[in-house]
Amino acid sequence: MCSSGSGSASLACGPVAGRCICGGVISAVKVRGDDVAGPGPDLPFVLSLLSRRGTILMTGYVRLLVPADVGDDLVSDGTAVRPIGTRGGVLTEVVTVAVDTVNTGAAMVSVVTAAATCKRLAQAFIRRHRPADPNEVKLTITVGDHTESLDVDLTNPKAEEQLFDFFAAQLHVV
Amino acid sequence: MWSKVLLPRRRGAVDAWACFLVVTVAFIAVTTVARWNQNAVIYFMVLCAVVCFLPRFIAFGLAALAGPLGGVATWPQAGAALGLLLLAPVIISAGAAVCAAVYQTWREMNSPLERLAIARALRPWVQGAVMAGLVLGGLFEGGWFVGGAVEVAAMIIPLAAYRRSHYKTAIAAAVIASMVTGWSTAPLVLAGVSLSLVMFRVATGGLPRQWHPLPSPSLWRHPGAAIRCMRCDRRIARSDILGARYVLGAGTGAWIRLRIAFLDLEERMYQSALSFGQETGLPGDIKVPAQILRARGLSGTAQYDQARALYLQVLSAVTQKGRLYHYLVLLLAENDLAAGQPADAIQAAAWLAARPDWWCDYFMRQRALRVLAEYELDQGNMEAASQVIDQAMEALATNRAIIRLTDTNSPGKLVRNIYGSRGSMYIHPLRVESLSRAAQPRVEDQAEDAGDRDGWEPELVALVMAVARSSDDLVELYLSEARNAVADGQRGEALPLAARALMELDRTRYLLAAQSSRTSWSRRFQRVLDFALATAHAEQDHEFVAELLEFARVQTLPAASAEMSEDLALSTPPIILVNSRARLARPGEQNRPACVTLEHAAERAAGAGAWWLSYWAAHDWLYWALVAPSGVTSSGRVSFSATSALRKTLDELEWALPALLPGENPIEADFRLSKSPLLTDPARELVLSATLGSLLLPPPLIQAAARKRARDEERLRLAIAPAAALGYIPWSILVAGDPTASDPERLVDVCDWVLAPSAALVCHAAPGFRARAPLALAVADTTDDPGLGELPGARAQAAALPRTVRVLGGHHWSRDPATLTRLERELRAAGPDATVAFMCHAVRGTADEPSKGGIVLAPGGPGNAADQYDIFTPQAVFAMNKRGLTMPSQVILQACDTSALKDTTSGEWLTIAPAFISAGSREVVATVYPLVDLPGVDDPVTRAALRGDSLQAAVAQMQREGLTRWTSGHHTDSAHTPFVWGAYATVAIQPKTRTGASTGPSSPLAISASFMRVLGKAVRTCQRTRAKRLDSGYILGELLEDGSLSGVLDGAGNSMHPIAFAWTLGPYICTRYLHIRDQDPATPLRINGKTINVPGTVINAIRAGRTAAERDGLPLTPHHVVNALLSEPTAARRIVAYLGMLTRKRPALIHRAIEWELTEQISSRLTTWSEPARPGQHHDLVEAVLAHAFAETSNLNGDSGVTEGSAFDQPLAISNRSSGHEK
């Protein structure tokens, strides 16, 4: 179900701890607080690999451009905060999480790249699913020129798990 | 022991024979001259043989008395024989023993300095012996009575000259004495001895030559330049910097400019070297020296890393390990030591110092040893430092000419020498001596013998260094002496020394064109400034603290020229006065604008009756000074150490602000800011603001604000001059009332405050007249560069503006891109009576170059690439202003941290907001921390801008309204929180009034006590003459005499030189007897029956001196008048030229000495003259001269200087009282 978009070849298929990155599981990367998992044996290699990607992988934080109601959901329980844009020009990379079926406007939120965040993201996407929406949707994550997508049936009981794996893989979180 | 030495059992054969022969010859000579009995010689020889060969039988000498009884001798002859037999062997034995001991000691001495010590100890004895011999010889030759006395009397002067080691004088005087006494022998012997000593000195007295890396042009291709360079190089070799400059003149060729840059570096002026090193198209053989000079310039301006890189680059190109290689190694070591990287420096310096004499240049070895000594001093290793200094002394002493300098133990002699044609060579022993003194006190402390400073005269040494322009040595000297004074509990004496050190450092600051150079130079200030502030604080010298704080903030006045187009050069700043006085007013700057006072600066910045509050962080303290409109000053300091409450509170504040913390990720900052007390928590904000208020707002300010409101029901006007450490402070919300109250008053409630640029900029800016200035132009969201991002809030703001407002944007959304060119055109169209708003990105400069930042504009280059942008920098503002564009009256800078105060660690606040003020704007609304991009336009500031009303009032209103909403819990949007509105701060300058009333300070006539004293003496001197003419020579002479400069120049009291009194008596003799007088006719002034004739030259000089004194912010001093005299073709100038020629001193050095003396007086605060209770004899004449000089001046009296009822109140009354002026 997982497919790589443009530019994925240079990133997605490094053998890490016996598995492919786009497979969703790698050794642990730092996250915040209780979500921190211990570094695996191949962590240095992972870090060197991931550091080529940009900032988000090394810092443990990411800005997400998500559907507005998903953003509100994340902000409401403190999983995310709304970024404060200043006129001083300090920007960082933004990860766009889009659903191809419904356009309700987008909101920017800042999150910690932790397992709990991925779980909350997955729950939010399932929760925002309305009866009028199609069950099978295509989620797309874009980081720079790199795009990954996931086709998922939101009514499937395993959808949350699929979404979690997908987010965890793309945000490089275990 | 001595009995064995003098009367041994047996003498050695040589000793015995020598003794026998000497005594016998003496007896024969006496017998022959006295025509005694020759038969006694045989008898005497027998006795002499017994006494000399058998010393224990000395009693046999008594047998000489038997001679008269036996008829072989007369009684006088027997007496002489007895004396010789008893005394001569003993004297000869003693002399031989002393000589042997000296010889043995001399042989054991390894170092020149130890031998020098022996020579110094023996010299008086040898001289005494020679003098005694000559006196005896004279008496013997002239007879024991009148003839001998006459001959001895004739020898008094040559003997005295010989005693003082003035051998040339001794020769001349001895020859004259011999001639007077009929060519007697004793004076001629003295002349011969002196001549031999002079010849020895000449033969061994060559000073070492200073090596330099300057190539000469080809004699065939550039004969003119080659000859000039050759003459210049000869002078450089003997450190005659002034002579070398004179030879070069105003030449423009590459070789000439290379030498000018070199000479500038020798006098610690760096800019020409920095510029020359960057020139392209230099001849091939000049490139390397030019790079070396540039590296020296960089190192001199504390840009050590760049200098090191350049040195290494040049070093890598040097293949031969000759002088150039050593020179570079030395420069690199000096640079490394200054940069705080001593390991490399020590290694290189030790390598150089260990080279053999023939291999290493004399001066390079000296410098290498000084590097080692300074390192040990820095490390506190006094013993090691003393050893290295001794080594340096010994290395110095390898040159006999230098030995003779050092053995005089008189810096006064060095002072005189440095004025001579040998240039500044004499600075080298003084440098070593200074280091020695720097190490000595601490050693003395250990030895509990702190009073031994004999022979050390810091004032004279400072004079030497000042005239040689050896500013770094001078600064170290002053600092060292100041620290010693503090250690001795004499802080009052330390303050003038610290002030002098700062003035010396300031000399260089404004000569540096690049801001980065000035920033690094400011680091050299810091050490002295820290010391001065701490001492002034301890002394409770509040005015000096206020002056120091303003001095630390570089007095920025942009200059027209710069080293490179992107540099921001400064022009000479004005003197800043506090309560009409200045201690840091370095005199002598011709291009200095009129002085300003802090009281006036406060008024210009914040309005009538404003107070000035300034800050500066130094070491572990934050100093503040508060200047009231009346000039009354208070000051204090707050701990600013790493663990201090202020530091912690500032850290808390920064944590609450939308600026990235060090190492912080922008998204991490999002989480931090979501909990900011300024955004979400009024209670925590109150605690933070109360803490900041209690730490930063001085109690006298709070009390004054309360009094003002109680009395006038107005808020106190306040100009805040913050330090860089306080760059993010939202001043408006600081609690300025009772912090325990539930809703205490904030600063914005009690004060109408503005941020103040430097006092110089505030007072010299030229704002337009007050007029309505409606918003005419808005610049919004100028770029979508990925590194900055779009600003939807700014675009929404622009869209909400009325159509009357011209909107410029970015290429990505607007057809009217805000390019630099377009902006300039629109600013011209808007005119000065308009408001312009910038709602876009701003970028900050760097800590080294804060002025590199500015407002982000749309790219104007070809292609208009969307991912690029231009920056509207302060330089661009000045450039537009120079092209005749007056900036709009009001400017709103709604961008991130447009004050950029945080970057101004060097004290130079010339970022975009002050730049607008300097270029004609009246009010600039800036931000003190990053501004959130919000769309709202319905705020008091925008409304006031649309109406054209004052922005300062609108900002205050917005902040007061916001505060009310915030504290009452009615804030619903981030725009309602101090997180947003707290960022605003106004930089303002009061507009001109239509009535044309001057807001500047009055110009009182203040006169120093020294001027009245000098003029009074000059008047008294000229009254003794028949012509009663006050020629400039009299004023010159009295100035030199008054400040004891003449004594220093002459060495009076320490000199037997024929022209020792040239500078003491010379001006008087030249004026009175040689008739060197001012050419123009004199105006006779009569008063109380007395007349004085005053040449127009003198009157003009007094007037010019007054202008210069006003420019320097000082009362009129005699130095100003004499400088004016010396700058015109006056008698005083001719006298200086003649005396300079006579004493081999360059007139330029006399100028420098006069300037130095004035600077010394300023640092100790000049005493202003006041009417004495009992005026002097010629006081009325002095007043008449001044009244005549200032008759055309409308405002002759001031609050300081002249008391009521003096003649200056009514200058014309003098002519009424007298019989009037006669032409």
Side-chain angles (χ1 to χ4, degrees):
Chain A
M1 298 291 275
C2 178
S3 64
S4 294
S6 63
S8 61
S10 63
L11 298 167
C13 294
V16 180
R19 299 186 63 173
C20 178
I21 286 180
C22 56
V25 177
I26 58 173
S27 301
V29 179
K30 70 155 183 167
V31 287
R32 211 182 219 196
D34 297 336
D35 302 323
V36 173
D42 298 315
L43 186 61
F45 172 74
V46 175
L47 291 178
S48 67
L49 177 72
L50 300 183
S51 63
R52 293 180 213 146
R53 283 282 304 272
T55 55
I56 60 167
L57 303 176
M58 295 300 292
T59 58
Y61 296 91
V62 67
R63 274 188 184 156
L64 299 178
L65 190 64
V66 293
D69 47 358
V70 172
D72 291 343
D73 197 2
L74 293 175
V75 170
S76 65
D77 69 349
T79 302
V81 296
R82 296 198 187 280
I84 292 176
T86 64
R87 295 180 181 176
V90 181
L91 281 188
T92 186
E93 200 167 13
V94 176
V95 175
T96 303
V97 185
V99 185
D100 64 345
T101 54
V102 181
N103 294 315
T104 58
M108 182 100 73
V109 292
S110 296
V111 298
V112 178
T113 50
T117 304
C118 297
K119 189 173 179 184
R120 282 287 297 116
L121 257 177
Q123 290 170 348
F125 271 95
I126 291 171
R127 198 180 299 164
R128 69 175 289 279
H129 180 244
R130 300 182 183 88
D133 295 338
N135 291 340
E136 291 198 358
V137 295
K138 183 174 185 178
L139 248 70
T140 307
I141 291 187
T142 306
V143 184
D145 59 349
H146 175 72
T147 302
E148 294 285 344
S149 58
L150 172 73
D151 296 318
V152 60
D153 180 358
L154 293 176
T155 59
N156 187 336
K158 292 189 175 177
E160 185 178 330
E161 191 178 341
Q162 283 180 318
L163 283 169
F164 174 81
D165 284 347
F166 179 64
F167 289 134
Q170 298 316 311
L171 300 180
H172 304 287
V173 174
V174 175
Chain B
M1 186 188 79
W2 280 103
S3 62
K4 289 182 180 176
V5 172
L6 300 178
L7 295 173
R9 185 182 297 274
R10 291 182 67 85
R11 279 200 174 90
V14 176
D15 287 354
W17 276 108
C19 189
F20 173 76
L21 290 174
V22 167
V23 175
T24 304
V25 167
F27 183 77
I28 292 171
V30 171
T31 300
T32 306
V33 171
R35 296 178 182 173
W36 287 332
N37 191 348
Q38 298 287 338
N39 296 331
V41 172
I42 302 297
Y43 180 60
F44 178 82
M45 287 174 68
V46 173
L47 294 178
C48 185
V50 174
V51 169
C52 290
F53 286 92
L54 300 168
R56 293 293 171 90
F57 291 91
I58 191 169
F60 269 77
L62 294 172
L65 296 177
L69 300 176
V72 293
T74 60
W75 281 106
Q77 195 175 12
L82 180 63
L84 281 172
L85 289 172
L86 293 182
L87 295 178
V90 174
I91 291 172
I92 289 169
S93 295
V98 168
C99 289
V102 168
Y103 177 71
Q104 186 63 27
T105 311
W106 184 269
R107 288 195 62 181
E108 288 172 359
M109 296 294 105
N110 292 322
S111 72
L113 276 185
E114 289 170 332
R115 290 178 179 173
L116 176 67
I118 289 181
R120 190 184 289 180
L122 285 179
R123 191 169 60 190
W125 293 93
V126 174
Q127 282 182 335
V130 170
M131 289 168 68
L134 287 169
V135 168
L136 282 174
L139 285 172
F140 198 74
E141 185 181 12
W144 296 100
F145 297 104
V146 177
V150 167
E151 193 167 330
V152 170
M155 282 202 300
I156 287 177
I157 293 176
L159 284 174
Y162 172 77
R163 178 76 180 83
R164 303 295 293 269
S165 304
H166 299 293
Y167 299 121
K168 291 178 200 166
T169 308
I171 293 169
V175 169
I176 292 170
S178 177
M179 188 177 68
V180 167
T181 54
W183 297 107
S184 54
T185 309
L188 286 178
V189 170
L190 177 59
V193 171
S194 300
L195 180 64
S196 55
L197 288 169
V198 167
M199 289 175 67
F200 176 74
R201 281 192 167 195
V202 169
T204 59
L207 283 166
R209 297 269 160 173
Q210 184 164 295
W211 183 85
H212 58 77
L214 310 175
S216 291
S218 162
L219 186 61
W220 303 112
R221 295 171 63 186
H222 308 281
I227 292 171
R228 200 187 276 187
C229 289
M230 205 183 305
R231 292 176 61 205
C232 171
D233 292 350
R234 284 179 55 197
R235 283 158 178 79
I236 290 175
R238 59 172 194 251
S239 296
D240 185 4
I241 305 300
L242 284 175
R245 278 191 194 283
Y246 178 78
V247 168
L248 291 180
T252 54
W255 288 277
I256 303 293
R257 283 185 293 120
L258 177 73
R259 279 161 177 77
I260 289 174
F262 179 83
L263 295 175
D264 281 351
L265 283 174
E266 291 295 303
E267 296 198 326
R268 310 305 186 267
M269 292 185 285
Y270 304 102
Q271 188 51 50
S272 53
L274 291 171
S275 303
F276 189 75
Q278 285 193 322
E279 283 188 20
T280 53
L282 294 173
D285 56 344
I286 282 186
K287 283 178 182 169
V288 167
Q291 291 305 306
I292 294 174
L293 296 193
R294 177 167 169 75
R296 279 185 65 185
L298 289 168
S299 183
T301 52
Q303 300 173 83
Y304 302 117
D305 292 340
Q306 297 96 314
R308 183 181 170 79
L310 204 48
Y311 281 138
L312 291 175
Q313 183 187 332
V314 178
L315 203 53
S316 65
V318 176
T319 52
Q320 290 185 334
K321 291 195 175 181
R323 287 279 166 90
L324 181 60
Y325 183 83
H326 305 157
Y327 187 61
L328 285 167
V329 168
L330 175 67
L331 292 175
L332 198 54
E334 289 175 338
N335 180 72
D336 286 344
L337 185 70
Q341 298 169 347
D344 295 340
I346 296 309
Q347 192 179 358
W351 177 78
L352 262 180
R355 297 302 97 188
D357 288 348
W358 55 267
W359 198 79
C360 183
D361 179 77
Y362 180 85
F363 293 108
M364 287 190 207
R365 180 193 301 281
Q366 277 299 306
R367 288 167 68 173
L369 286 168
R370 283 207 300 273
V371 167
L372 295 174
E374 284 169 12
Y375 167 74
E376 299 295 352
L377 281 175
D378 288 345
Q379 298 298 312
N381 303 330
M382 294 307 142
E383 293 294 335
S386 296
Q387 286 175 7
V388 178
I389 291 166
D390 288 346
Q391 200 181 340
M393 280 287 191
E394 287 170 9
L396 265 180
T398 54
N399 182 279
R400 287 182 187 276
I402 298 286
I403 286 184
R404 286 177 200 128
L405 284 175
T406 53
D407 76 351
T408 58
N409 205 18
S410 166
K413 186 171 181 182
L414 298 184
V415 173
R416 293 193 302 282
N417 282 331
I418 203 160
Y419 281 88
S421 57
R422 285 177 170 178
S424 54
M425 188 70 76
Y426 298 91
I427 201 79
H428 295 287
L430 278 188
R431 282 182 179 144
V432 180
E433 185 72 8
S434 295
L435 281 176
S436 173
R437 294 288 160 174
Q440 198 174 19
R442 290 168 240 189
V443 174
E444 283 172 352
D445 288 345
Q446 292 166 4
E448 297 182 354
D449 184 18
D452 183 20
R453 296 177 67 78
D454 55 324
W456 179 245
E457 300 173 68
E459 295 83 10
L460 292 178
V461 176
L463 174 57
V464 173
M465 291 174 171
V467 296
R469 291 277 159 83
S470 181
S471 58
D472 38 6
D473 293 312
L474 190 54
V475 168
E476 291 302 324
L477 173 72
Y478 281 130
L479 197 56
S480 167
E481 291 297 320
R483 283 181 174 149
N484 288 338
V486 169
D488 294 342
Q490 296 169 329
R491 283 200 176 87
E493 291 182 12
L495 276 183
L497 293 166
R500 282 291 292 113
L502 284 172
M503 277 191 264
E504 205 58 42
L505 286 168
D506 192 47
R507 184 190 297 279
T508 303
R509 175 155 65 170
Y510 297 97
L511 298 177
L512 301 173
Q515 192 174 41
S516 54
S517 302
R518 290 194 297 272
T519 302
S520 53
W521 181 257
S522 69
R523 291 182 199 121
R524 302 191 64 174
F525 266 89
Q526 203 58 46
R527 196 165 47 114
V528 187
L529 193 61
D530 290 357
F531 176 83
L533 277 169
T535 311
H537 175 77
E539 282 287 288
Q540 292 291 296
D541 192 338
H542 302 300
E543 286 178 12
F544 193 38
V545 171
E547 194 183 346
L548 284 169
L549 297 194
E550 195 53 29
F551 186 80
R553 304 173 79 226
V554 181
Q555 296 307 302
T556 40
L557 287 178
S561 61
E563 181 187 346
M564 295 172 65
S565 58
E566 65 265 24
D567 287 328
L568 183 58
L570 299 184
S571 61
T572 311
I575 296 294
I576 307 296
L577 307 180
V578 182
N579 202 11
S580 302
R581 295 193 294 182
R583 250 179 138 157
L584 299 168
R586 184 168 47 80
E589 286 287 351
Q590 298 296 323
N591 301 319
R592 199 186 281 284
C595 63
V596 298
T597 68
L598 273 191
E599 303 92 295
H600 180 228
E603 189 175 314
R604 291 276 288 168
W611 293 51
W612 182 272
L613 175 60
S614 52
Y615 298 90
W616 187 257
H619 199 45
D620 281 343
W621 298 97
L622 180 80
Y623 291 86
W624 59 265
L626 182 67
V627 182
S630 61
V632 175
T633 307
S634 53
S635 68
R637 67 181 186 182
V638 184
S639 174
F640 200 53
S641 62
T643 57
S644 65
L646 178 57
R647 187 82 79 167
K648 285 179 182 170
T649 312
L650 289 178
D651 289 344
E652 283 179 39
L653 174 68
E654 288 198 28
W655 189 87
L657 296 177
L660 281 184
L661 301 177
E664 188 180 40
N665 182 279
I667 315 169
E668 199 174 358
D670 292 339
F671 283 90
R672 170 172 60 84
L673 293 175
S674 67
K675 301 183 186 102
S676 166
L678 297 186
L679 189 64
T680 61
D681 193 342
R684 281 174 57 208
E685 177 272 320
L686 179 60
V687 172
L688 185 62
S689 300
T691 311
L692 282 174
S694 66
L695 291 170
L696 293 180
L697 299 179
L701 173 69
I702 308 295
Q703 293 156 9
R707 281 198 303 272
K708 175 79 174 171
R709 198 156 57 160
R711 191 177 60 231
D712 304 331
E713 295 184 347
E714 285 181 3
R715 281 181 283 273
L716 188 81
R717 292 176 176 171
L718 177 65
I720 301 176
L726 307 181
Y728 284 159
I729 299 287
W731 291 95
S732 282
I733 64 171
L734 297 197
V735 171
D738 179 10
T740 58
S742 60
D743 184 15
E745 288 188 316
R746 310 294 184 110
L747 188 65
V748 73
D749 296 323
V750 300
C751 289
D752 286 331
W753 67 274
V754 294
L755 287 182
S758 71
L761 192 147
V762 166
C763 290
H764 286 276
F769 295 104
R770 181 178 288 285
R772 294 184 75 83
L775 183 62
L777 179 65
V779 177
D781 189 19
T782 50
T783 182
D784 62 345
D785 181 88
L788 295 174
E790 296 182 38
L791 295 174
R795 281 216 297 273
Q797 267 187 299
L801 292 172
R803 286 177 175 273
T804 53
V805 180
R806 182 84 164 152
V807 176
L808 302 181
H811 292 289
H812 59 291
W813 70 276
S814 171
R815 283 179 296 181
D816 296 315
T819 61
L820 262 175
T821 318
R822 183 71 182 272
L823 176 67
E824 184 171 357
R825 200 162 62 232
E826 295 294 341
L827 287 173
R828 285 185 194 281
D833 291 334
T835 297
V836 173
F838 291 88
M839 301 173 292
C840 48
H841 280 296
V843 289
R844 294 220 323 230
T846 62
D848 278 349
E849 295 177 294
S851 298
K852 291 283 185 189
I855 300 292
V856 171
L857 294 183
N864 294 344
D867 58 349
Q868 293 177 347
Y869 52 83
D870 283 340
I871 300 176
F872 187 33
T873 59
Q875 289 94 320
V877 174
F878 298 134
M880 289 181 187
N881 188 238
K882 199 178 170 188
R883 291 193 288 267
L885 171 60
T886 301
M887 288 295 148
S889 293
Q890 303 193 126
V891 177
I892 305 174
L893 299 174
Q894 285 187 325
C896 272
D897 193 7
T898 43
S899 67
L901 268 166
K902 198 74 175 170
D903 290 333
T904 58
T905 50
S906 68
E908 187 172 322
W909 189 33
L910 201 57
T911 52
I912 189 75
F916 272 114
I917 292 289
S918 176
S921 295
R922 201 175 65 219
E923 293 181 11
V924 179
V925 176
T927 49
V928 292
Y929 51 79
L931 188 69
V932 181
D933 180 39
L934 295 173
V937 292
D938 185 26
D939 59 71
V941 175
T942 311
R943 288 199 296 270
L946 289 170
R947 287 195 305 270
D949 292 343
S950 165
L951 296 178
Q952 182 190 349
V955 168
Q957 184 192 348
M958 177 178 70
Q959 292 179 329
R960 286 187 203 108
E961 287 177 1
L963 203 51
T964 305
R965 191 185 291 123
W966 170 252
T967 53
S968 63
H970 291 98
H971 55 282
T972 55
D973 186 3
S974 60
H976 298 156
T977 65
F979 193 76
V980 175
W981 50 255
Y984 290 107
T986 309
V987 187
I989 186 164
Q990 296 306 303
K992 293 176 185 170
T993 56
R994 291 285 182 192
T995 60
S998 170
T999 56
S1002 62
S1003 179
L1005 171 59
I1007 298 178
S1008 68
S1010 62
F1011 177 73
M1012 293 301 280
R1013 194 168 57 242
V1014 166
L1015 189 59
K1017 287 181 182 174
V1019 167
R1020 190 173 59 202
T1021 306
C1022 82
Q1023 284 296 298
R1024 291 190 200 127
T1025 65
R1026 192 183 304 162
K1028 316 286 185 207
R1029 190 182 151 99
L1030 184 63
D1031 278 299
S1032 56
Y1034 292 129
I1035 300 177
L1036 171 71
E1038 295 302 338
L1039 170 72
L1040 295 178
E1041 185 68 26
D1042 185 68
S1044 66
L1045 266 183
S1046 54
V1048 172
L1049 296 173
D1050 285 337
N1054 192 28
S1055 175
M1056 291 292 292
H1057 203 276
I1059 51 173
F1061 296 97
W1063 292 95
T1064 305
L1065 299 176
Y1068 179 76
I1069 294 171
C1070 287
T1071 308
R1072 181 162 183 184
Y1073 299 112
L1074 303 183
H1075 297 278
I1076 300 176
R1077 293 181 174 168
D1078 297 302
Q1079 300 295 323
D1080 52 342
T1083 303
L1085 304 177
R1086 289 182 184 168
I1087 184 166
N1088 297 338
K1090 291 182 279 190
T1091 302
I1092 185 168
N1093 297 300
V1094 188
T1097 319
V1098 171
I1099 294 297
N1100 291 337
I1102 292 175
R1103 289 174 182 159
R1106 185 197 174 190
T1107 306
E1110 283 181 348
R1111 186 189 60 214
D1112 291 342
L1114 300 171
L1116 177 60
T1117 67
H1119 307 79
H1120 286 108
V1121 175
V1122 169
N1123 273 335
L1125 286 171
L1126 295 182
S1127 63
E1128 298 291 332
T1130 58
R1133 189 158 99 174
R1134 292 202 302 279
I1135 290 170
V1136 166
Y1138 293 147
L1139 294 180
M1141 211 181 305
L1142 186 66
T1143 58
R1144 301 169 72 190
K1145 296 172 176 32
R1146 297 187 184 282
L1149 291 175
I1150 307 300
H1151 280 269
R1152 290 182 182 183
I1154 292 172
E1155 184 185 304
W1156 173 84
E1157 192 186 56
L1158 176 58
T1159 313
E1160 289 286 313
Q1161 292 184 6
I1162 294 167
S1163 65
S1164 305
R1165 286 210 191 283
L1166 278 171
T1167 311
T1168 308
W1169 178 77
S1170 58
E1171 186 79 27
R1174 294 179 61 191
Q1177 186 185 1
H1178 300 294
H1179 185 69
D1180 47 358
L1181 286 176
V1182 172
E1183 287 197 341
V1185 171
L1186 289 178
H1188 179 58
F1190 302 130
E1192 296 167 7
T1193 307
S1194 58
N1195 182 11
L1196 289 174
N1197 203 355
D1199 50 359
S1200 61
V1202 185
T1203 56
E1204 286 187 8
S1206 77
F1208 307 124
D1209 287 332
Q1210 296 172 327
L1212 295 178
I1214 289 174
S1215 57
N1216 295 336
R1217 191 171 54 182
S1218 66
S1219 57
H1221 295 184
E1222 289 181 7
K1223 294 287 180 184

